[in-house]
Amino acid sequence: MKIFNTMSGKKEELKTINDGEVKIYACGPTVYNYIHIGNARPICVFDILRRYLEYRGYKVTFVQNFTDIDDKIIKRANEENSDYKTVSEKYIEEYKKDAKGLNVRDASIHPKATENIAQMIDMIKTLEEKGYAYSTEYGDVYFRTNKFKEYGKLSHQPLEDLEAGARIQIGETKEDPMDFALWKGAKPGEPSWTSPWGEGRPGWHIECSCMAKRYLGDTIDIHCGGQDLIFPHHENEIAQSECSNGVTFANYWMHNGYINVDNKKMSKSLNNFFTVRDVAEKYGYEPIRYLMVSSHYRSPINYSVEIIEQCKSALNRLYNCREDLTFLAQSSTGTFKEGEEEIKQSLLSHKDDFIAAMDDDLNTANAITAMFELASDINSKLNARTAPSKELCDFALGLYNELANVLGLLYTEKEKGIDEDVQELIDLRNQARKNKNWAEADRIRDELKAKGITIKDTPNGTIIVTE
C-alpha cells in the first residue's frame, strides 16, 4: 500500500515499524460543542484507513484523543455557569452519539488530556533540562523554536517565513515570537494542576505528543488529522517530541482536505456552519459518511443540500442491489453450476479494482466506483432470468457486504418486518397484477405509499424498497 506522506510530499510504500502491526495516532475533537461536518471528515476518513489496514491483515492500534481542557472549553463553561469537566464530559457523550451514527468505530484507546498531566509535566521537564524550554516569572513555560533547526519541515516553510507573521501577545513574556506555550500559569477562576512551575495547565500542543508517546511509543507509524493541523499543531508536536525523545516522531503524516459549504469556506460569520447533528436530523447520518468517502481524502469537497441528496440517492442504489440479491438468495437453491465460475471471477475482478484503489493512497472515490460496478454486474448477471444457484448468490452477497464494510457503508438498513395488513395488501396487488387488473394494482401501490411503504416489482417477486 502507498500513502501520501505530508512530510516528504510524495506517495511512499507503507513500511511499518513492526511487521503486521500499525500504530496510528489521530487528533481528536476539542469537546466544547457538537462536532460539525468539517470534523466529520477526518473522523470518517481515518476510520476507513483503520478498517482497510485491518482488512489487509494488519493488527492496528488506533489512538484518538479528547482535548478536555482548553480555552474554548473554559469559555463555554463560563457561559453555561458550569465547569470544564461537566462541559467536556457532556460533549464527549454527544461526540460518541454522532460517531456511532456515522458508523465510526471506537478507537483502541480514547485518552483524555486531563488523564495525562503527569506525562506532560515529565516531557516539559525533559525539554527544560535539554535547553529547549524555559519558564517565566508568571509560571508559563515556552518552547525555544529557534533551537530546533528542523522546525517547519512538515509544513515545508523555512523558519524565517513563519517568523514573519508571528507576534507576541499582550501578557506574554516569550523570548521569541515563534516560541509556543508548553505550560500556562494559572489565571483566577481557571482550573489548574500543580507543577514545578506553579499552578497551571498544559498548552494544547503538548498533550498529543505525550499521549502518542504513552500509548504508542517514541516513534509511531502514522499520525493523521485535518489539513488545518499541519501548522502549527503538528509542527509543534514534532518539535516537542523529537527534541524530548531524540528520535523521529512519526514515519508517515496523513492529512485530509477541507470541506466547503456551497463552494464557500465554512464559517459561523457566513452563516453556513452545520453540525453533524443538524444534517443528520434532516438526511440521516449515512449520507454524511458517504459524502466523506465519495472523494479522495486529500481533495477538497463541497457540501450542499443538492450534494447530500445525491449521496442519499447513491446509497439507495447500493441498498436496492443488496435487497434484490438477498431476496434472490432466499429463493434460489443448489451449488455452483456450469458457467457460474466465470461469473464468480467477473465479480472478483471488482474486488481487485477495489483493493487497487485503496492501496493507492486510500482512494475511496475509485473504491466506490468499484462498488457500483460490482452492483451493476450483480444486477445484470444474477436475476430470475439467469436462475443462479444459491451458492453463487451467497458468494455475491458476501463479497458485496465485505467491500461495503471496509468503507463502513450500508449499515442503516431497517429491518423489514412486514405486518399482516401490509402483507395482505401486497398479496392482493400481486393477484391483481396476475389478473392484469392494472388499475387495482396501481391503487394498492398508492395505498401502500400513503403508509410510507415503497415497493418494487422484480423478476423474483415484490420487495419493499429502502427509502
Side-chain angles (χ1 to χ4, degrees):
M1 181 182 184
K2 289 186 176 181
I3 59 177
F4 184 89
N5 189 350
T6 306
M7 182 67 76
S8 65
K10 60 184 180 182
K11 291 181 187 178
E12 298 177 10
E13 193 74 33
L14 177 62
K15 295 180 181 179
T16 58
I17 298 167
N18 298 316
D19 288 344
E21 297 181 20
V22 189
K23 297 183 287 185
I24 303 175
Y25 188 92
C27 285
T30 300
V31 283
Y32 71 100
N33 202 349
Y34 296 98
I35 60 171
H36 55 70
I37 58 170
N39 302 137
R41 192 172 195 192
I43 292 168
C44 291
V45 164
F46 299 119
D47 176 67
I48 293 171
L49 172 66
R50 174 194 185 179
R51 286 171 180 264
Y52 183 65
L53 289 170
E54 289 179 343
Y55 176 69
R56 295 307 301 273
Y58 285 97
K59 177 186 175 184
V60 180
T61 305
F62 188 85
V63 177
Q64 182 190 309
N65 71 298
F66 289 120
T67 296
D68 62 341
I69 183 65
D70 178 85
D71 290 342
K72 293 176 181 177
I73 295 171
I74 294 170
K75 183 173 182 289
R76 175 56 64 92
N78 291 336
E79 291 170 353
E80 296 182 357
N81 195 28
S82 182
D83 61 86
Y84 86 92
K85 193 169 184 179
T86 300
V87 168
S88 63
E89 288 181 352
K90 171 187 174 180
Y91 287 108
I92 285 173
E93 291 308 308
E94 297 300 341
Y95 164 85
K96 289 179 179 178
K97 291 177 186 176
D98 286 333
K100 183 177 180 181
L102 292 167
N103 199 26
V104 172
R105 295 163 53 196
D106 289 339
S108 309
I109 307 166
H110 267 303
K112 299 175 185 175
T114 57
E115 297 171 341
N116 292 271
I117 300 294
Q119 287 73 21
M120 297 182 210
I121 290 172
D122 285 345
M123 182 172 282
I124 295 170
K125 286 168 63 178
T126 298
L127 290 169
E128 194 174 40
E129 290 165 4
K130 291 184 173 183
Y132 288 104
Y134 61 92
S135 59
T136 73
E137 59 183 302
Y138 301 106
D140 301 320
V141 184
Y142 291 99
F143 182 88
R144 284 193 176 96
T145 305
N146 270 298
K147 190 173 174 62
F148 181 53
K149 300 307 179 185
E150 293 183 281
Y151 193 83
K153 64 180 178 178
L154 182 67
S155 53
H156 306 293
Q157 299 181 73
L159 188 56
E160 309 82 68
D161 291 352
L162 296 171
E163 284 177 325
R167 298 287 185 273
I168 296 180
Q169 303 296 322
I170 296 174
E172 292 181 329
T173 54
K174 299 191 285 188
E175 293 177 355
D176 187 276
M178 282 301 298
D179 296 348
F180 58 89
L182 300 170
W183 188 262
K184 298 180 178 182
K187 295 179 181 177
E190 288 189 354
S192 63
W193 288 261
T194 301
S195 80
W197 314 282
E199 292 293 310
R201 58 187 174 89
W204 175 39
H205 312 295
I206 192 70
E207 64 178 75
C208 289
S209 286
C210 293
M211 287 185 276
K213 176 183 174 72
R214 180 179 182 182
Y215 298 105
L216 296 173
D218 288 354
T219 301
I220 64 178
D221 290 302
I222 304 173
H223 197 312
C224 48
Q227 185 179 336
D228 57 310
L229 297 181
I230 296 174
F231 182 85
H233 185 51
H234 288 167
E235 201 74 75
N236 291 351
E237 280 187 59
I238 291 169
Q240 297 162 160
S241 295
E242 297 191 357
C243 291
S244 173
N245 303 332
V247 293
T248 298
F249 179 35
N251 289 332
Y252 301 87
W253 290 84
M254 297 179 71
H255 295 94
N256 63 271
Y258 292 112
I259 289 185
N260 296 320
V261 176
D262 293 322
N263 295 307
K264 295 179 181 177
K265 184 178 179 181
M266 187 169 65
S267 167
K268 289 183 178 178
S269 62
L270 294 176
N271 199 31
N272 66 351
F273 184 90
F274 297 99
T275 67
V276 166
R277 194 72 55 87
D278 290 336
V279 179
E281 285 176 356
K282 291 183 179 179
Y283 304 102
Y285 280 101
E286 192 166 6
I288 302 173
R289 184 175 180 107
Y290 184 91
L291 172 66
M292 302 307 166
V293 304
S294 60
S295 297
H296 190 280
Y297 77 92
R298 287 191 288 115
S299 301
I301 59 175
N302 189 46
Y303 168 84
S304 69
V305 170
E306 293 76 17
I307 290 173
I308 206 73
E309 289 282 10
Q310 290 169 11
C311 291
K312 195 172 181 180
S313 296
L315 279 168
N316 283 342
R317 293 199 299 276
L318 292 174
Y319 269 115
N320 289 339
C321 173
R322 188 168 73 177
E323 288 164 0
D324 289 351
L325 183 56
T326 301
F327 193 91
L328 184 61
Q330 291 169 349
S331 59
S332 60
T333 59
T335 57
F336 281 114
K337 59 186 182 181
E338 186 177 353
E340 289 191 338
E341 181 61 31
E342 185 178 340
I343 296 174
K344 178 182 176 181
Q345 293 307 315
S346 176
L347 299 182
L348 281 172
S349 70
H350 303 299
K351 177 180 177 178
D352 293 339
D353 292 342
F354 181 95
I355 290 174
M358 296 293 279
D359 274 351
D360 184 15
D361 192 28
L362 206 71
N363 193 332
T364 55
N366 286 354
I368 286 280
T369 298
M371 276 287 299
F372 274 102
E373 290 174 348
L374 173 61
S376 178
D377 219 4
I378 288 171
N379 289 336
S380 64
K381 294 176 180 175
L382 281 75
N383 51 57
R385 290 184 298 278
T386 62
S389 67
K390 178 169 176 56
E391 191 170 359
L392 178 60
C393 290
D394 288 344
F395 169 80
L397 187 59
L399 176 60
Y400 197 73
N401 287 331
E402 176 186 319
L403 301 188
N405 187 59
V406 174
L407 298 176
L409 295 176
L410 306 187
Y411 63 92
T412 56
E413 183 178 16
K414 297 178 182 178
E415 292 294 327
K416 298 183 181 65
I418 304 175
D419 62 42
E420 291 182 7
D421 291 341
V422 171
Q423 188 60 58
E424 184 178 351
L425 285 171
I426 291 174
D427 291 343
L428 286 171
R429 182 173 177 277
N430 286 339
Q431 188 61 47
R433 293 179 75 240
K434 187 176 180 180
N435 297 336
K436 297 186 178 180
N437 187 348
W438 309 120
E440 177 65 5
D442 289 345
R443 184 196 68 75
I444 295 173
R445 176 191 287 273
D446 292 341
E447 183 178 345
L448 287 167
K449 193 168 186 177
K451 293 176 180 289
I453 299 165
T454 301
I455 59 174
K456 177 183 178 183
D457 297 316
T458 76
N460 310 300
T462 300
I463 63 173
I464 295 177
V465 178
T466 300
E467 291 293 335

